[in-house]
Amino acid sequence: YFKGVIFDLDGVITDTAEYHYQAWKRLAEKLGIPFDRKFNEKLKGVSRMESLNIILSRSNKSYTQEEKERLAEEKNADYKELIAKITPDDLLPGAGEVLESLKKHGYKLALASASKNASFVIKKLKVEHYFDYIVDAATIKNSKPHPEIFLTAAKGLGLAPEYCIGVEDAQAGIEAIKRAGMFAVGVGSSTLKGADVMINDLRDFDIEQYQTMVKR
Ligand code: G6P
Ligand code: MG
């Protein structure tokens, strides 16, 4: 039944979600805006500018578009410094094995990350060759939880959405997968609403089990 698997990147394949957190925290603190891990959950899966707007909504100062662009650029510069040192050792547990095994069994694989740095990170991790299709975040108009990025990935694989499994660590991402009409695998230690199944990390990814769970 399922023929393709579409992965989020940050927090699923590698722990760049942590680097996004650190870079945003640094910026928020500089601006005197309170920032913690709980608030950071709202930013997962959300584009750079939208994330900044969410952070700035906690400030009583208003910012011009030009100032916002400068702040987003500043966060990205910090983030890029953090990801420059990524190596294949930074793959999260099970990630390399899952990609290898799915590929070997003939599944089509895609990457659906909202990050404009995704292809740089995928290259540093040396897993680029596993992906049949990588969505270019710059071409996506609607951020997760809108389903656009997952629908674009399915199209890129030449598969109808119902034949695809989406894998996500963010609440907005799970919602996007479900709205795209796909089976949703949630990754992480806290429950994600709407996920068809939750796993701690990709070591527990079990496609044979998901094949038996399809609602026909
Ligand atoms: C992913 C991450 C977000 C990040 C977004 C944009 O969705 O989960 O935390 O803000 O990508 O990333 P970028 O690298 O383009 O700033
Ligand atoms: Mg993520």
Side-chain angles (χ1 to χ4, degrees):
Y1 196 80
F2 293 124
K3 296 182 173 69
V5 186
I6 303 171
F7 290 90
D8 172 45
L9 172 66
D10 301 311
V12 171
I13 289 175
T14 186
D15 205 11
T16 35
E18 177 63 23
Y19 295 153
H20 281 295
Y21 165 74
Q22 288 175 18
W24 282 128
K25 186 174 169 65
R26 184 165 169 190
L27 184 76
E29 278 171 357
K30 209 179 111 178
L31 301 173
I33 298 170
F35 194 84
D36 58 19
R37 286 184 187 276
K38 182 158 178 280
F39 182 62
N40 182 62
E41 285 301 309
K42 295 192 206 302
L43 311 182
K44 287 189 178 173
V46 176
S47 73
R48 195 181 306 162
M49 222 2 132
E50 266 177 79
S51 298
L52 178 66
N53 281 326
I54 294 173
I55 293 170
L56 295 182
S57 73
R58 285 193 143 186
S59 157
N60 34 32
K61 248 191 85 184
S62 65
Y63 294 85
T64 65
Q65 193 54 34
E66 243 180 279
E67 286 171 322
K68 285 183 186 177
E69 263 148 38
R70 200 173 35 75
L71 294 173
E73 196 34 65
E74 198 178 312
K75 180 268 176 179
N76 194 46
D78 281 347
Y79 179 69
K80 277 165 101 168
E81 215 168 280
L82 293 166
I83 59 177
K85 292 169 257 166
I86 288 179
T87 73
D89 286 339
D90 294 304
L91 282 163
L92 280 167
E97 293 78 358
V98 163
L99 293 171
E100 174 77 32
S101 156
L102 289 172
K103 194 81 198 156
K104 203 174 83 194
H105 288 94
Y107 288 97
K108 293 260 175 270
L109 306 182
L111 192 73
S113 170
S115 173
K116 291 178 179 147
N117 294 295
S119 88
F120 175 82
V121 171
I122 274 307
K123 280 181 196 130
K124 294 291 258 182
L125 293 168
K126 301 212 189 306
V127 292
E128 198 192 11
H129 58 287
Y130 291 121
F131 293 96
D132 300 286
Y133 188 77
I134 295 179
V135 178
D136 176 2
T139 65
I140 300 299
K141 287 183 202 76
N142 306 288
S143 268
K144 301 167 188 177
H146 191 286
E148 181 181 356
I149 194 165
F150 283 97
L151 293 173
T152 304
K155 203 174 203 173
L157 294 179
L159 295 174
E162 60 170 313
Y163 296 119
C164 298
I165 294 176
V167 191
E168 263 288 352
D169 69 316
Q171 188 58 55
I174 294 291
E175 202 179 318
I177 294 169
K178 293 316 295 177
R179 282 167 68 181
M182 300 175 185
F183 184 91
V185 176
V187 180
S189 50
S190 48
T191 308
L192 296 168
K193 252 196 307 175
D196 292 291
V197 44
M198 276 305 303
I199 54 177
N200 269 314
D201 59 48
L202 288 178
R203 285 176 295 192
D204 294 332
F205 188 90
D206 183 358
I207 194 144
E208 290 308 317
Q209 187 203 336
Y210 314 147
Q211 292 288 12
T212 68
M213 292 170 70
V214 191
K215 295 179 195 85
R216 272 172 252 218

